[in-house]
Amino acid sequence: MDPTAQLTIGQSNVLMITERIVSVFSIFGIIFILVTFYFLSSFNKPINRLVFYASFGNLGMNIACLISENGIKAGALFLGVDAFWSCCMAWNVYLAFFHQYTDRHLRSLDKWYLLGCYGASAVPALALLFVSSQERGKIYGPAVLWCWIDTRWDFLRIALLYGIVWYILTHPRTLDKTLKLYE
């Protein structure tokens, strides 16, 4: 059941206003990250680079929050990639500590992180635009809380956004095989 279905119009408006105010503060934080990374070379470290790259996904999500339900009606589409970037950051830490990866080695993985986090996320996001059923309707629906996948398609929220990360985290041999490909 949709948790927002029991909200009054006033409560729903308060939720959207709060979400939009918080998004504005987040956008200021993202701008600070981008400016700091760009102008202060001392911040150009592997973990900061990944935070820098993740900031663009966060910016998209905050823009999505600002336009909320209006965005889906206009055809706007964003998918959060925070979980994927967090996985990349953890992977970098693993590589640095257990495989003695240097900054040069980690930097060589950036293109794969960008392709994986943004490219792999774009495929299902675009594919879901064209899927609907008689019983559930279109997959994308109003965005009030955290996701534009309609509540009638709840299982897709977990499967497509976090399921992949959980698979990677619970199958370390897959990661080791992947690592050996790029060594």
Side-chain angles (χ1 to χ4, degrees), residues 20-119:
R20 289 174 178 176
I21 290 170
V22 170
S23 291
V24 168
F25 286 116
S26 291
I27 289 172
F28 285 136
I30 291 164
I31 291 168
F32 179 76
I33 289 169
L34 298 177
V35 169
T36 302
F37 185 84
Y38 185 76
F39 288 109
L40 299 174
S41 60
S42 60
F43 281 91
N44 197 340
K45 304 281 186 250
I47 195 75
N48 295 344
R49 254 193 336 273
L50 296 184
V51 170
F52 173 78
Y53 295 145
S55 295
F56 294 102
N58 289 331
L59 184 60
M61 285 304 296
N62 282 290
I63 290 170
C65 288
L66 286 173
I67 58 179
S68 192
E69 289 185 324
N70 299 330
I72 196 65
K73 292 173 187 167
L77 175 66
F78 299 95
L79 182 66
V81 295
D82 283 344
F84 299 129
W85 280 110
S86 296
C87 187
C88 291
M89 290 176 207
W91 183 239
N92 265 8
V93 171
Y94 168 78
L95 293 174
F97 280 103
F98 296 107
H99 293 276
Q100 290 70 47
Y101 266 47
T102 64
D103 181 46
R104 187 178 56 81
H105 290 115
L106 295 173
R107 189 180 296 268
S108 71
L109 297 174
D110 286 358
K111 64 181 171 269
W112 300 110
Y113 292 157
L114 285 164
L115 182 65
C117 291
Y118 289 123

Side-chain angles (χ1 to χ4, degrees), residues 150-170:
D150 194 283
T151 55
R152 294 172 291 183
W153 295 88
D154 267 345
F155 69 95
L156 289 177
R157 291 179 180 187
I158 301 300
L160 295 177
L161 191 57
Y162 297 107
I164 297 166
V165 173
W166 278 107
Y167 175 82
I168 291 169
L169 292 174
T170 58

